[in-house]
Structure formats: C-alpha cells, structure tokens
C-alpha cells in the first residue's frame, strides 16, 4: 500500500482510496537503468578551476565521479559546485539573479563537500545534458575522473519501433519527441524531470497518448489513472490538477476544471486504446463525479462558466479569456465519453449524448458569433483567440471549411492571443487533423517543434514562443523546463498519421 497524507484541511474523499492506491502500486512500472560513462579525466585541478562534461544527449538520472589527488593527500574536504544543465545556455547563466515566481531550489545546482578520495555518488536525481563542475576550495591539487551518469526511465526502448517515413525533418522531430517522453516516463508520467517532477492531468493525457503509439506500456498509464482516482477532490467535487506519489501520496492543491475533465478524457483514451473495460469501470465513478461537478458550473444559457479564471488552465498565455475554451473542453470530453460508453453499450451513453447536444446548442447560440463568423462573444469580452477556435473545433461546434476559415482568421488575427505552450499547440494540431488538414498540421509541427530541433534541442521545451526565447509564465526563463512531457506529442501525430488511425 502507498502511504498517504491528508492535507490542506481536506478529508479523505473516496471510500475506495485504499483500493485505488493498491491498484496504483500493483502497476508500478519497472525502471530501466543505463550507465553513461564519460571518459574525461581532469588532473591538476585547483581552487578556481572549472570544466563542463557533455553527456551527448539529455538524460535523467544519478551522477557519480572519482576524486583523487596528484602527490599530496588533500587534507581538507574538497568543495565543489556541481550544476546540471538541460541546455547550453544554463551553463554560464547567473543563478543568483534569478527573480522568477517559482522556488529557485528547482535550479539544479549543488555545493558539495567531498571528504574522501574515491567514488562519490550524488544522491538526488537530475535532468541534464551538460554538467558543470567548479572547484571552489581545495587544499591540494586534485583529480576528478570516472564520471558516470546512471540514466533511469520506465520507457522500455526495446518496444520502440523506428518510423518509416521519407521525411528527415519529421524523423528528427520524432526522435526528439520519444526522447522527451522517455525522460519524463519514470514511476509515473512526470511533467518535467527538472521541474515539477510530479503527475499533472494535462501532461498525463498527452504522455499517455504518445505512449500508446510509441512504447505502448499500459501499466504506467493505469498507475497514473488509479493515483488520480485516489486523490482528494475540492468541495465542488473536482480532482486536483496534480499529485505526488513518492515517497508518500499527496493530493495537489490546485483544482483546474479543464484538467479535471481531461482526466475523464484520459480514462476514455485508455479504454479506447486497450479495450480494458474492467479498469475503465473501476475508475468510472470518479470520472462521473467530474461530469456531475461540472454541471454545477453550467449557467442559464447552458454555458460552463468557471468564475475564477485561476481554476482553468488552457494555456499559459496571460491575456487569454477562457470561457469559450473551457466550454470546448467540456464538449470534447462529452464527445469522447459518449464514444467510450457507446462502445461498451453502457446505459449512461444516451444521457451524456443529450448533454452533449444541449451544450453544443448553447455554444452555437451564445459563443458563436454568426455575424462575424468567429467566437467573439460577450463571455470572453469579444476576444478572438486561437484557443477558442481550437476548442470549439475540437468540441465540433463548427466543422469543415468553415471551421478552417475560423481557425485561420484566429491564427492571423494581430491582437488575439496565440498558444505559448507546446501543450496548447498540441490541441491546435489536433484541431487541424480533425479537419483533415494533415499537411497543414505537419507543417505546423515542423514550424514549431522543428524550430526547437534546429536550435539543437535533445528534448522538447515546456514553453516555446518563436522569437521570444525569454518568455516564461514564471517570470524568469531560467526556471522553464527543457524536457517537458506535454511537448512530446509530435510522435503521436506522426505515427498516427502513418498508421492511418
Ligand atoms: C506547470 C507545469 C505542468 C502543467 C501546469 C499547469 O506547472 O508545466 O506541466 O501541467 O503548469
């Protein structure tokens, strides 16, 4: 059984908590380990010296090295600064000027005192391509050698088949995508191995999708679904957006309505991919609870209105108005839920189908602007955003050429908010694919993810806005993660397209 904490004044929410945690434990994936040995040997190091080790790729794991000396035993501890960098620009940046809103302790840097010669193993897990070591103080000349980075992942690379495509650009993008997923696949689907190193619903959904088309490992998906099923809901009945599971299970404290619905979507995806009705039905009560909870947010017009904007994610663009997108997430969830329930001939299918039709009608009446043929509406202060267009397309409020026209207009609108995360760009690509614009979807993947590859990315970044390398939702781009789960989905799109389903 996984031990759990009851925190934040919330009560243990589900009678099945112990059961769900037990199932989560049963599905703990096996971790694979690969040692990357770096043969460099640094002799003659003194205080003030520094060097950088290049691992040759981005990895997640544990670091060790051997301390030695040249002629006189170092009769004092050797103090080193060890910095783990996901990208080149972290190597020399000044961490002391960091001014972001997230805790600087996420920046991967340690000051260690090495007391003895011989092997030294650092105990924390790091995410890195480069490791910079500064010798801060040493009494005598030392040597450092036998560097080993023990990379860990639960992704079984023997299950991964290469893609067969006559397009080098897409091939390279696929390589970086699966590497991103591999490094985020640990005991759970982590969002980012540098930061926040936890399970978020939005990330889980996209990692699971990509996993179905790449490593195809379903234990870790089941584990994540069961973990959320065991989580403590808020007083409105919504699941938290995130949770921790190691060393003890802790429910998160941020309750995002769109993420709560995407939990339902993730469960349906799992069933549609595996056909595992038993697991679906096991967790279905928690999914249904989310669908009941969201009903309380439906206003007299039939639109989902979440009063506090902080309870909706959608994207990190600060200018974004979110009601239309949120309603689109609701429609999208209903659609996939009807599909899953319909396939298993579940008696709730018709009830959700009626709810879908009502919610779609409400969107046509109150969110769609027929005069201008867009989604500029009173709820969102007449804002035209790519996000609204995307989610209304995914909710199938508009279809075909007309939907394409609306999307194009939103994308080229000078003022309107655009996606700033690969996460939101995923849904943009999905909308394009739904409209059977595969070529344009691939072009967008080449444009956005391809640009990261051209920049030398080994893994895809959490935030990527072309032309704005310093953009960060956290006030300082130093804290942005450069290997982020929600950015791994090009492999899903490319492989799905090649497979034809
Ligand atoms: C950030 C992380 C995570 C995401 C949330 C909403 O903290 O990047 O991946 O899901 O935001």
């Amino acid at each position: 059984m996984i031990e759990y904490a009851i925190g934040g004044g919330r009560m243990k929410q589900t009678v099945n908590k112990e059961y769900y945690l037990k199932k989560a434990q049963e599905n703990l994936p096996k971790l694979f380990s690969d040692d990357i040995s770096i043969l460099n040997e640094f002799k003659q190091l003194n205080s003030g010296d520094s060097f950088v080790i290049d691992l040759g790729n981005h990895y997640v794991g544990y670091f060790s090295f051997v301390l030695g000396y040249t002629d006189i035993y170092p009769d004092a501890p050797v103090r080193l600064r060890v910095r783990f960098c996901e990208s080149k620009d972290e190597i020399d940046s000044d961490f002391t000027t960091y001014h972001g809103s997230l805790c600087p302790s996420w920046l991967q840097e340690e000051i260690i005192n090495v007391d003895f010669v011989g092997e030294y193993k650092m105990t924390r897990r790091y995410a890195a391509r480069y490791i910079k070591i500064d010798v801060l103080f040493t009494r005598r000349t030392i040597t450092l050698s036998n560097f080993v980075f023990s990379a860990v992942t639960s992704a079984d690379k023997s299950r991964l088949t290469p893609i067969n495509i006559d397009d080098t650009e897409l091939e390279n993008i696929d390589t970086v995508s699966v590497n991103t997923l591999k490094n985020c696949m640990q005991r759970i689907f982590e969002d980012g191995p540098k930061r926040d190193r936890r399970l978020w619903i939005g990330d889980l959904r996209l990692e699971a999708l990509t996993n179905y088309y790449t490593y195809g490992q379903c234990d870790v998906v089941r584990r994540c679904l069961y973990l959320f099923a065991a989580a403590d809901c808020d007083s409105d009945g919504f699941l938290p957006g995130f949770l921790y599971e190691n060393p003890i299970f802790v429910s998160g404290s941020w309750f995002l309505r769109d993420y709560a619905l995407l939990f339902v979507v993730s469960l349906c995806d799992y069933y549609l991919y595996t056909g595992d009705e038993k697991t679906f039905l096991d967790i279905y009560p928690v999914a249904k609870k989310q669908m009941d909870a969201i009903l309380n947010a439906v206003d007299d017009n039939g639109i989902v209105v979440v009063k506090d904007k902080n309870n909706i994610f959608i994207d990190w663009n600060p200018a974004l108005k979110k009601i239309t997108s949120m309603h689109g997430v609701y429609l999208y969830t209903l659609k996939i839920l009807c599909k899953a329930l319909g396939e298993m001939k579940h008696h709730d299918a018709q009830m959700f189908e009626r709810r879908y039709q009502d919610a779609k009608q409400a969107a046509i009446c109150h969110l769609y602007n027929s005069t201008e043929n867009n989604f500029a509406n009173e709820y969102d202060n007449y804002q035209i955003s790519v996000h609204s267009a995307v989610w209304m397309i995914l909710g199938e409020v508009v279809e075909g050429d007309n939907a394409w026209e609306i999307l194009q207009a939103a994308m080229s609108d000078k003022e309107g908010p655009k996606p700033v995360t690969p996460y939101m760009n995923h849904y943009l690509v999905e909308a394009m694919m739904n409209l059977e614009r595969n070529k344009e979807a691939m072009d967008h993947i080449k444009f956005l993810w391809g640009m990261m590859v051209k920049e030398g990315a080994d893994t895809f970044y959490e935030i990527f806005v072309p032309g704005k390398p310093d953009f960060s939702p956290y006030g300082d781009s130093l804290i942005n993660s450069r290997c982020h789960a929600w950015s791994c989905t090009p492999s899903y799109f490319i492989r799905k397209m090649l497979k034809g389903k």
Side-chain angles (χ1 to χ4, degrees):
M1 243 289 283
I2 305 176
E3 276 184 59
Y4 60 87
I6 300 175
R10 292 185 306 279
M11 297 298 292
K12 181 176 101 168
Q13 71 101 6
T14 138
V15 280
N16 288 332
K17 186 171 194 120
E18 275 86 6
Y19 169 75
Y20 286 141
L21 288 178
K22 186 170 143 281
K23 296 297 284 182
Q25 198 59 1
E26 279 169 23
N27 285 288
L28 184 67
K30 176 176 171 224
L31 286 183
F32 299 89
S33 177
D34 239 339
D35 281 354
I36 293 106
S37 302
I38 299 103
L39 301 174
N40 310 14
E41 279 187 62
F42 294 91
K43 303 198 177 239
Q44 306 280 336
L45 291 166
N46 291 297
S47 301
D49 285 342
S50 113
F51 60 90
V52 176
I53 298 168
D54 182 355
L55 299 177
N57 202 337
H58 182 285
Y59 294 101
V60 176
Y62 300 88
F63 183 57
S64 66
F65 56 86
V66 169
L67 169 71
Y69 61 100
T70 46
D71 39 0
I72 307 174
Y73 191 82
D75 62 353
V78 174
R79 184 166 297 174
L80 304 175
R81 186 195 292 124
V82 189
R83 180 184 282 197
F84 295 86
C85 312
E86 293 195 298
S87 61
K88 242 187 190 140
D89 34 284
E90 275 168 277
I91 298 175
D92 291 319
S93 48
D94 183 359
F95 282 8
T96 62
T97 60
Y98 171 75
H99 53 272
S101 56
L102 302 182
C103 193
S105 55
W106 285 118
L107 301 173
Q108 304 182 102
E109 184 173 85
E110 316 284 355
I111 292 183
I112 55 172
N113 293 299
V114 185
D115 288 301
F116 306 111
V117 291
E119 190 187 36
Y120 185 90
K121 290 186 173 188
M122 295 184 72
T123 51
R124 282 192 81 216
R125 202 198 68 192
Y126 301 96
R129 154 88 196 241
Y130 305 97
I131 302 169
K132 181 182 184 189
I133 301 187
D134 292 297
V135 181
L136 298 180
F137 302 113
T138 177
R139 174 99 169 89
R140 307 285 184 204
T141 304
I142 54 154
T143 67
L144 290 174
S145 62
N146 296 60
F147 305 97
V148 177
F149 197 87
S150 234
V152 287
T153 173
S154 59
D156 179 353
K157 63 180 178 206
S158 71
R159 299 176 63 102
L160 186 71
T161 44
I163 53 167
N164 185 8
I165 191 169
D166 194 14
D167 186 325
T168 325
E169 235 180 314
L170 287 183
E171 212 170 24
N172 293 341
I173 292 173
D174 179 73
T175 304
V176 177
S177 296
V178 289
N179 203 32
T180 308
L181 177 60
K182 181 199 98 192
N183 288 352
C184 295
M185 252 170 103
Q186 301 291 336
R187 293 166 54 97
I188 48 167
F189 284 120
E190 290 184 16
D191 63 331
K194 163 182 153 182
R195 204 217 80 238
D196 316 332
R197 301 168 65 147
R198 70 192 72 160
L199 179 61
W200 284 90
I201 295 175
D203 305 72
L204 153 65
R205 200 260 157 157
L206 300 191
E207 287 175 283
L209 269 189
T210 309
N211 170 51
Y212 296 139
Y213 285 81
T214 54
Y215 299 102
Q217 289 167 244
C218 292
D219 52 353
V220 62
V221 185
R222 271 193 304 276
R223 174 169 165 80
C224 294
L225 292 170
Y226 276 116
L227 284 169
F228 271 112
D232 303 331
C233 292
D234 68 0
S235 53
D236 293 329
F238 290 105
L239 284 173
F242 70 89
L243 56 82
Y244 313 88
E245 55 81 44
N246 191 25
I248 58 166
F249 175 87
V250 181
S251 279
S253 48
W254 191 12
F255 297 87
L256 295 162
R257 280 28 179 169
D258 49 338
Y259 272 27
L261 295 188
L262 290 173
F263 172 74
V264 181
V265 172
S266 309
L267 181 63
C268 295
D269 288 339
Y270 170 80
Y271 166 72
L272 293 168
Y273 178 77
T274 61
D276 175 0
E277 197 171 316
K278 188 176 174 307
T279 301
F280 178 93
L281 292 175
D282 233 12
I283 302 177
Y284 179 60
V286 181
K288 198 168 175 187
K289 184 171 174 177
Q290 305 312 297
M291 300 312 288
D292 291 343
I294 201 74
L295 265 189
N296 295 325
V298 174
D299 75 356
D300 292 346
N301 289 333
I303 302 297
V304 173
V305 179
V306 177
K307 298 237 161 56
D308 186 350
K309 195 180 160 182
N310 293 322
N311 290 337
I312 314 177
F313 175 61
I314 307 292
D315 188 27
W316 274 127
N317 189 324
L320 183 68
K321 308 266 186 227
K322 301 179 174 176
I323 301 291
T324 309
S325 300
M326 180 66 218
H327 193 77
V329 175
Y330 178 50
L331 288 165
Y332 179 77
T333 308
L334 283 166
K335 270 249 101 151
I336 195 158
L337 184 56
C338 291
K339 187 167 180 210
L341 293 173
E343 264 189 30
M344 65 184 84
K345 303 198 172 29
H346 193 286
H347 52 82
D348 281 348
Q350 280 184 346
M351 178 264 292
F352 283 118
E353 181 58 39
R354 280 195 299 277
R355 272 177 66 178
Y356 171 74
Q357 291 305 338
D358 291 348
K360 179 175 172 176
Q361 214 35 52
I364 294 170
C365 292
H366 302 287
L367 300 179
Y368 176 60
N369 186 327
S370 57
T371 326
E372 296 176 12
N373 192 30
N374 60 22
F375 287 96
N377 57 57
E378 202 179 339
Y379 282 97
D380 279 337
N381 210 10
Y382 297 94
Q383 182 180 73
I384 295 173
S385 68
V386 170
H387 310 66
S388 299
V390 163
W391 280 109
M392 286 290 105
I393 292 167
L394 293 174
E396 295 179 19
V397 176
V398 283
E399 286 169 24
D401 289 347
N402 186 40
W404 182 247
E405 211 177 285
I406 293 174
L407 184 60
Q408 291 296 289
M411 285 174 73
S412 53
D413 189 277
K414 291 225 159 41
E415 318 268 282
K418 312 286 175 301
V420 296
T421 54
Y423 168 81
M424 186 58 215
N425 274 289
H426 162 91
Y427 288 106
L428 169 58
V429 174
E430 188 175 326
M432 291 175 169
M433 301 279 270
N434 281 12
L435 297 177
E436 292 174 1
R437 301 282 179 162
N438 288 6
K439 173 165 183 323
E440 288 85 348
M442 291 300 138
D443 284 349
H444 189 69
I445 288 177
K446 285 181 180 176
F447 165 70
L448 196 92
W449 283 269
M451 205 183 280
M452 286 186 250
V453 174
K454 282 185 197 125
E455 274 189 11
D458 301 307
T459 48
F460 288 127
Y461 316 156
E462 174 185 20
I463 311 287
F464 188 66
V465 188
K468 290 190 182 164
D470 293 332
F471 175 78
S472 172
Y474 319 112
D476 190 328
S477 60
L478 261 184
I479 210 82
N480 291 1
S481 132
R482 298 296 194 103
C483 171
H484 216 72
W486 67 20
S487 312
C488 74
T489 60
S491 288
Y492 160 70
F493 290 119
I494 298 166
R495 287 164 184 256
K496 189 173 178 199
M497 183 187 69
L498 292 175
K499 222 174 156 187
K501 59 181 175 108

